mmCIF file of all heavy atoms in Angstrom:
data_model
loop_
_atom_site.group_PDB
_atom_site.id
_atom_site.type_symbol
_atom_site.label_atom_id
_atom_site.label_comp_id
_atom_site.label_asym_id
_atom_site.label_seq_id
_atom_site.Cartn_x
_atom_site.Cartn_y
_atom_site.Cartn_z
ATOM 1 N N VAL A 9 -8.458 -17.975 5.838
ATOM 2 C CA VAL A 9 -8.353 -18.516 4.479
ATOM 3 C C VAL A 9 -7.461 -17.681 3.560
ATOM 4 O O VAL A 9 -7.135 -18.118 2.458
ATOM 5 C CB VAL A 9 -9.750 -18.667 3.833
ATOM 6 C CG1 VAL A 9 -10.575 -19.692 4.604
ATOM 7 C CG2 VAL A 9 -10.457 -17.336 3.765
ATOM 8 N N ILE A 10 -7.037 -16.533 3.989
ATOM 9 C CA ILE A 10 -6.232 -15.653 3.135
ATOM 10 C C ILE A 10 -4.846 -16.263 2.923
ATOM 11 O O ILE A 10 -4.246 -16.790 3.842
ATOM 12 C CB ILE A 10 -6.155 -14.230 3.723
ATOM 13 C CG1 ILE A 10 -5.647 -13.250 2.665
ATOM 14 C CG2 ILE A 10 -5.306 -14.175 4.957
ATOM 15 C CD1 ILE A 10 -5.874 -11.805 3.032
ATOM 16 N N GLU A 11 -4.354 -16.229 1.666
ATOM 17 C CA GLU A 11 -3.073 -16.847 1.329
ATOM 18 C C GLU A 11 -1.984 -15.834 0.984
ATOM 19 O O GLU A 11 -0.808 -16.118 1.153
ATOM 20 C CB GLU A 11 -3.250 -17.826 0.165
ATOM 21 C CG GLU A 11 -4.121 -19.012 0.519
ATOM 22 C CD GLU A 11 -4.308 -19.966 -0.636
ATOM 23 O OE1 GLU A 11 -3.706 -19.770 -1.711
ATOM 24 O OE2 GLU A 11 -5.072 -20.922 -0.471
ATOM 25 N N THR A 12 -2.379 -14.674 0.476
ATOM 26 C CA THR A 12 -1.414 -13.659 0.060
ATOM 27 C C THR A 12 -1.832 -12.310 0.621
ATOM 28 O O THR A 12 -2.996 -11.925 0.516
ATOM 29 C CB THR A 12 -1.345 -13.563 -1.477
ATOM 30 O OG1 THR A 12 -1.007 -14.843 -2.007
ATOM 31 C CG2 THR A 12 -0.312 -12.555 -1.923
ATOM 32 N N LEU A 13 -0.863 -11.610 1.201
ATOM 33 C CA LEU A 13 -1.115 -10.248 1.666
ATOM 34 C C LEU A 13 -0.529 -9.317 0.615
ATOM 35 O O LEU A 13 0.658 -9.420 0.291
ATOM 36 C CB LEU A 13 -0.473 -10.010 3.033
ATOM 37 C CG LEU A 13 -0.873 -10.997 4.135
ATOM 38 C CD1 LEU A 13 -0.232 -10.597 5.455
ATOM 39 C CD2 LEU A 13 -2.385 -11.054 4.278
ATOM 40 N N PRO A 14 -1.333 -8.419 0.052
ATOM 41 C CA PRO A 14 -0.879 -7.619 -1.084
ATOM 42 C C PRO A 14 0.179 -6.574 -0.738
ATOM 43 O O PRO A 14 0.321 -6.164 0.417
ATOM 44 C CB PRO A 14 -2.160 -6.942 -1.568
ATOM 45 C CG PRO A 14 -3.050 -6.921 -0.383
ATOM 46 C CD PRO A 14 -2.705 -8.124 0.436
ATOM 47 N N GLU A 15 0.892 -6.153 -1.754
ATOM 48 C CA GLU A 15 1.886 -5.093 -1.632
ATOM 49 C C GLU A 15 1.219 -3.840 -1.066
ATOM 50 O O GLU A 15 0.082 -3.516 -1.415
ATOM 51 C CB GLU A 15 2.470 -4.800 -3.014
ATOM 52 C CG GLU A 15 3.555 -3.766 -3.000
ATOM 53 C CD GLU A 15 4.219 -3.624 -4.353
ATOM 54 O OE1 GLU A 15 4.535 -4.644 -4.983
ATOM 55 O OE2 GLU A 15 4.419 -2.465 -4.773
ATOM 56 N N SER A 16 1.912 -3.174 -0.148
ATOM 57 C CA SER A 16 1.462 -1.907 0.459
ATOM 58 C C SER A 16 0.122 -2.031 1.186
ATOM 59 O O SER A 16 -0.611 -1.053 1.320
ATOM 60 C CB SER A 16 1.391 -0.799 -0.595
ATOM 61 O OG SER A 16 2.641 -0.621 -1.211
ATOM 62 N N MET A 17 -0.214 -3.209 1.683
ATOM 63 C CA MET A 17 -1.504 -3.471 2.307
ATOM 64 C C MET A 17 -1.830 -2.509 3.449
ATOM 65 O O MET A 17 -2.897 -1.932 3.499
ATOM 66 C CB MET A 17 -1.526 -4.917 2.825
ATOM 67 C CG MET A 17 -2.840 -5.329 3.425
ATOM 68 S SD MET A 17 -2.794 -7.049 3.924
ATOM 69 C CE MET A 17 -2.445 -6.859 5.635
ATOM 70 N N ILE A 18 -0.929 -2.356 4.398
ATOM 71 C CA ILE A 18 -1.150 -1.478 5.553
ATOM 72 C C ILE A 18 -0.040 -0.434 5.611
ATOM 73 O O ILE A 18 0.236 0.131 6.635
ATOM 74 C CB ILE A 18 -1.165 -2.290 6.876
ATOM 75 C CG1 ILE A 18 -2.180 -3.407 6.818
ATOM 76 C CG2 ILE A 18 -1.475 -1.424 8.071
ATOM 77 C CD1 ILE A 18 -3.618 -2.961 6.895
ATOM 78 N N GLU A 19 0.625 -0.188 4.529
ATOM 79 C CA GLU A 19 1.759 0.733 4.514
ATOM 80 C C GLU A 19 1.397 2.033 5.221
ATOM 81 O O GLU A 19 0.361 2.632 4.955
ATOM 82 C CB GLU A 19 2.188 1.032 3.078
ATOM 83 C CG GLU A 19 3.380 1.945 2.992
ATOM 84 C CD GLU A 19 3.811 2.207 1.560
ATOM 85 O OE1 GLU A 19 3.119 1.782 0.623
ATOM 86 O OE2 GLU A 19 4.847 2.845 1.402
ATOM 87 N N GLY A 20 2.246 2.408 6.166
ATOM 88 C CA GLY A 20 2.036 3.647 6.901
ATOM 89 C C GLY A 20 1.017 3.536 8.021
ATOM 90 O O GLY A 20 0.570 4.536 8.565
ATOM 91 N N GLY A 21 0.646 2.313 8.397
ATOM 92 C CA GLY A 21 -0.323 2.108 9.477
ATOM 93 C C GLY A 21 0.309 2.402 10.826
ATOM 94 O O GLY A 21 0.555 1.503 11.617
ATOM 95 N N CYS A 22 0.571 3.664 11.083
ATOM 96 C CA CYS A 22 1.364 4.054 12.252
ATOM 97 C C CYS A 22 0.688 3.731 13.581
ATOM 98 O O CYS A 22 1.346 3.700 14.601
ATOM 99 C CB CYS A 22 1.735 5.524 12.174
ATOM 100 S SG CYS A 22 0.324 6.631 12.153
ATOM 101 N N ARG A 23 -0.602 3.464 13.595
ATOM 102 C CA ARG A 23 -1.275 3.121 14.854
ATOM 103 C C ARG A 23 -1.312 1.611 15.107
ATOM 104 O O ARG A 23 -1.706 1.174 16.168
ATOM 105 C CB ARG A 23 -2.691 3.671 14.855
ATOM 106 C CG ARG A 23 -2.714 5.168 14.920
ATOM 107 C CD ARG A 23 -4.122 5.679 14.989
ATOM 108 N NE ARG A 23 -4.064 7.079 15.305
ATOM 109 C CZ ARG A 23 -4.700 7.631 16.321
ATOM 110 N NH1 ARG A 23 -5.478 6.899 17.080
ATOM 111 N NH2 ARG A 23 -4.595 8.908 16.562
ATOM 112 N N LEU A 24 -0.898 0.835 14.133
ATOM 113 C CA LEU A 24 -0.924 -0.619 14.258
ATOM 114 C C LEU A 24 0.084 -1.073 15.304
ATOM 115 O O LEU A 24 1.254 -0.712 15.249
ATOM 116 C CB LEU A 24 -0.611 -1.255 12.899
ATOM 117 C CG LEU A 24 -0.824 -2.750 12.776
ATOM 118 C CD1 LEU A 24 -2.295 -3.100 12.994
ATOM 119 C CD2 LEU A 24 -0.388 -3.224 11.399
ATOM 120 N N LEU A 25 -0.373 -1.855 16.284
ATOM 121 C CA LEU A 25 0.475 -2.332 17.379
ATOM 122 C C LEU A 25 0.752 -3.831 17.294
ATOM 123 O O LEU A 25 1.820 -4.282 17.685
ATOM 124 C CB LEU A 25 -0.182 -2.032 18.729
ATOM 125 C CG LEU A 25 -0.489 -0.568 19.027
ATOM 126 C CD1 LEU A 25 -1.252 -0.449 20.339
ATOM 127 C CD2 LEU A 25 0.779 0.247 19.067
ATOM 128 N N GLU A 26 -0.225 -4.604 16.820
ATOM 129 C CA GLU A 26 -0.090 -6.055 16.787
ATOM 130 C C GLU A 26 -0.534 -6.599 15.439
ATOM 131 O O GLU A 26 -1.496 -6.108 14.864
ATOM 132 C CB GLU A 26 -0.939 -6.700 17.878
ATOM 133 C CG GLU A 26 -0.540 -6.287 19.269
ATOM 134 C CD GLU A 26 -1.417 -6.938 20.331
ATOM 135 O OE1 GLU A 26 -1.620 -8.168 20.249
ATOM 136 O OE2 GLU A 26 -1.881 -6.226 21.213
ATOM 137 N N ILE A 27 0.172 -7.617 14.972
ATOM 138 C CA ILE A 27 -0.157 -8.269 13.711
ATOM 139 C C ILE A 27 -0.269 -9.765 13.962
ATOM 140 O O ILE A 27 0.602 -10.349 14.600
ATOM 141 C CB ILE A 27 0.945 -8.020 12.653
ATOM 142 C CG1 ILE A 27 1.129 -6.529 12.397
ATOM 143 C CG2 ILE A 27 0.623 -8.760 11.364
ATOM 144 C CD1 ILE A 27 2.351 -6.202 11.547
ATOM 145 N N ALA A 28 -1.331 -10.380 13.453
ATOM 146 C CA ALA A 28 -1.493 -11.835 13.499
ATOM 147 C C ALA A 28 -1.669 -12.325 12.069
ATOM 148 O O ALA A 28 -2.610 -11.930 11.381
ATOM 149 C CB ALA A 28 -2.691 -12.221 14.357
ATOM 150 N N ILE A 29 -0.755 -13.165 11.610
ATOM 151 C CA ILE A 29 -0.766 -13.665 10.241
ATOM 152 C C ILE A 29 -1.217 -15.125 10.258
ATOM 153 O O ILE A 29 -0.590 -15.965 10.903
ATOM 154 C CB ILE A 29 0.626 -13.512 9.600
ATOM 155 C CG1 ILE A 29 1.006 -12.015 9.586
ATOM 156 C CG2 ILE A 29 0.651 -14.113 8.206
ATOM 157 C CD1 ILE A 29 2.423 -11.728 9.166
ATOM 158 N N PRO A 30 -2.319 -15.447 9.546
ATOM 159 C CA PRO A 30 -2.872 -16.807 9.563
ATOM 160 C C PRO A 30 -1.948 -17.852 8.939
ATOM 161 O O PRO A 30 -1.058 -17.537 8.151
ATOM 162 C CB PRO A 30 -4.153 -16.676 8.726
ATOM 163 C CG PRO A 30 -4.427 -15.224 8.610
ATOM 164 C CD PRO A 30 -3.119 -14.521 8.752
ATOM 165 N N ALA A 31 -2.219 -19.104 9.253
ATOM 166 C CA ALA A 31 -1.409 -20.236 8.792
ATOM 167 C C ALA A 31 -1.407 -20.401 7.287
ATOM 168 O O ALA A 31 -0.434 -20.874 6.714
ATOM 169 C CB ALA A 31 -1.900 -21.520 9.461
ATOM 170 N N ALA A 32 -2.459 -20.007 6.595
ATOM 171 C CA ALA A 32 -2.564 -20.210 5.147
ATOM 172 C C ALA A 32 -1.721 -19.228 4.336
ATOM 173 O O ALA A 32 -1.504 -19.439 3.141
ATOM 174 C CB ALA A 32 -4.028 -20.113 4.710
ATOM 175 N N VAL A 33 -1.219 -18.168 4.962
ATOM 176 C CA VAL A 33 -0.461 -17.149 4.224
ATOM 177 C C VAL A 33 0.876 -17.718 3.764
ATOM 178 O O VAL A 33 1.653 -18.242 4.557
ATOM 179 C CB VAL A 33 -0.249 -15.878 5.087
ATOM 180 C CG1 VAL A 33 0.702 -14.907 4.398
ATOM 181 C CG2 VAL A 33 -1.581 -15.202 5.373
ATOM 182 N N THR A 34 1.136 -17.596 2.453
ATOM 183 C CA THR A 34 2.386 -18.077 1.867
ATOM 184 C C THR A 34 3.257 -16.940 1.346
ATOM 185 O O THR A 34 4.428 -17.148 1.063
ATOM 186 C CB THR A 34 2.109 -19.055 0.709
ATOM 187 O OG1 THR A 34 1.332 -18.376 -0.286
ATOM 188 C CG2 THR A 34 1.388 -20.298 1.201
ATOM 189 N N GLU A 35 2.674 -15.736 1.216
ATOM 190 C CA GLU A 35 3.425 -14.590 0.692
ATOM 191 C C GLU A 35 2.873 -13.297 1.277
ATOM 192 O O GLU A 35 1.658 -13.118 1.384
ATOM 193 C CB GLU A 35 3.333 -14.541 -0.830
ATOM 194 C CG GLU A 35 4.093 -13.389 -1.443
ATOM 195 C CD GLU A 35 3.991 -13.351 -2.966
ATOM 196 O OE1 GLU A 35 3.327 -14.216 -3.559
ATOM 197 O OE2 GLU A 35 4.586 -12.439 -3.555
ATOM 198 N N ILE A 36 3.812 -12.410 1.654
ATOM 199 C CA ILE A 36 3.448 -11.079 2.146
ATOM 200 C C ILE A 36 4.145 -10.078 1.232
ATOM 201 O O ILE A 36 5.373 -10.073 1.124
ATOM 202 C CB ILE A 36 3.883 -10.879 3.604
ATOM 203 C CG1 ILE A 36 3.274 -11.967 4.494
ATOM 204 C CG2 ILE A 36 3.470 -9.489 4.096
ATOM 205 C CD1 ILE A 36 3.791 -11.970 5.923
ATOM 206 N N GLY A 37 3.373 -9.247 0.562
ATOM 207 C CA GLY A 37 3.894 -8.340 -0.450
ATOM 208 C C GLY A 37 4.878 -7.301 0.064
ATOM 209 O O GLY A 37 4.909 -6.975 1.260
ATOM 210 N N ASN A 38 5.649 -6.760 -0.862
ATOM 211 C CA ASN A 38 6.609 -5.715 -0.553
ATOM 212 C C ASN A 38 5.879 -4.493 0.003
ATOM 213 O O ASN A 38 4.800 -4.145 -0.478
ATOM 214 C CB ASN A 38 7.395 -5.345 -1.820
ATOM 215 C CG ASN A 38 8.778 -4.846 -1.517
ATOM 216 O OD1 ASN A 38 9.298 -5.034 -0.417
ATOM 217 N ND2 ASN A 38 9.393 -4.225 -2.490
ATOM 218 N N TYR A 39 6.437 -3.882 1.017
ATOM 219 C CA TYR A 39 5.881 -2.698 1.687
ATOM 220 C C TYR A 39 4.541 -2.976 2.383
ATOM 221 O O TYR A 39 3.863 -2.039 2.792
ATOM 222 C CB TYR A 39 5.712 -1.521 0.712
ATOM 223 C CG TYR A 39 7.007 -1.029 0.141
ATOM 224 C CD1 TYR A 39 7.411 -1.399 -1.135
ATOM 225 C CD2 TYR A 39 7.843 -0.203 0.887
ATOM 226 C CE1 TYR A 39 8.611 -0.949 -1.664
ATOM 227 C CE2 TYR A 39 9.046 0.250 0.367
ATOM 228 C CZ TYR A 39 9.423 -0.125 -0.912
ATOM 229 O OH TYR A 39 10.608 0.314 -1.430
ATOM 230 N N ALA A 40 4.142 -4.238 2.528
ATOM 231 C CA ALA A 40 2.842 -4.555 3.127
ATOM 232 C C ALA A 40 2.671 -3.907 4.502
ATOM 233 O O ALA A 40 1.590 -3.422 4.836
ATOM 234 C CB ALA A 40 2.652 -6.064 3.230
ATOM 235 N N PHE A 41 3.738 -3.894 5.304
ATOM 236 C CA PHE A 41 3.662 -3.309 6.641
ATOM 237 C C PHE A 41 4.680 -2.185 6.826
ATOM 238 O O PHE A 41 5.021 -1.832 7.952
ATOM 239 C CB PHE A 41 3.873 -4.386 7.704
ATOM 240 C CG PHE A 41 2.797 -5.440 7.684
ATOM 241 C CD1 PHE A 41 3.053 -6.699 7.174
ATOM 242 C CD2 PHE A 41 1.535 -5.159 8.153
ATOM 243 C CE1 PHE A 41 2.065 -7.669 7.147
ATOM 244 C CE2 PHE A 41 0.528 -6.123 8.122
ATOM 245 C CZ PHE A 41 0.800 -7.378 7.620
ATOM 246 N N ALA A 42 5.160 -1.616 5.734
ATOM 247 C CA ALA A 42 6.154 -0.545 5.803
ATOM 248 C C ALA A 42 5.570 0.662 6.537
ATOM 249 O O ALA A 42 4.419 1.036 6.332
ATOM 250 C CB ALA A 42 6.594 -0.138 4.402
ATOM 251 N N GLY A 43 6.365 1.228 7.412
ATOM 252 C CA GLY A 43 5.940 2.417 8.152
ATOM 253 C C GLY A 43 5.110 2.122 9.384
ATOM 254 O O GLY A 43 4.663 3.045 10.066
ATOM 255 N N CYS A 44 4.894 0.876 9.707
ATOM 256 C CA CYS A 44 4.127 0.505 10.904
ATOM 257 C C CYS A 44 5.088 0.495 12.096
ATOM 258 O O CYS A 44 5.395 -0.557 12.670
ATOM 259 C CB CYS A 44 3.459 -0.848 10.704
ATOM 260 S SG CYS A 44 2.257 -0.878 9.356
#
Side-chain angles (χ1 to χ4, degrees):
V9 296
I10 195 165
E11 295 179 4
T12 303
L13 305 183
E15 183 173 315
S16 302
M17 183 177 98
I18 305 287
E19 182 179 6
C22 61
R23 291 183 169 234
L24 190 62
L25 301 175
E26 299 179 48
I27 301 170
I29 300 172
V33 172
T34 59
E35 180 180 0
I36 303 172
N38 209 16
Y39 297 100
F41 297 106
C44 298

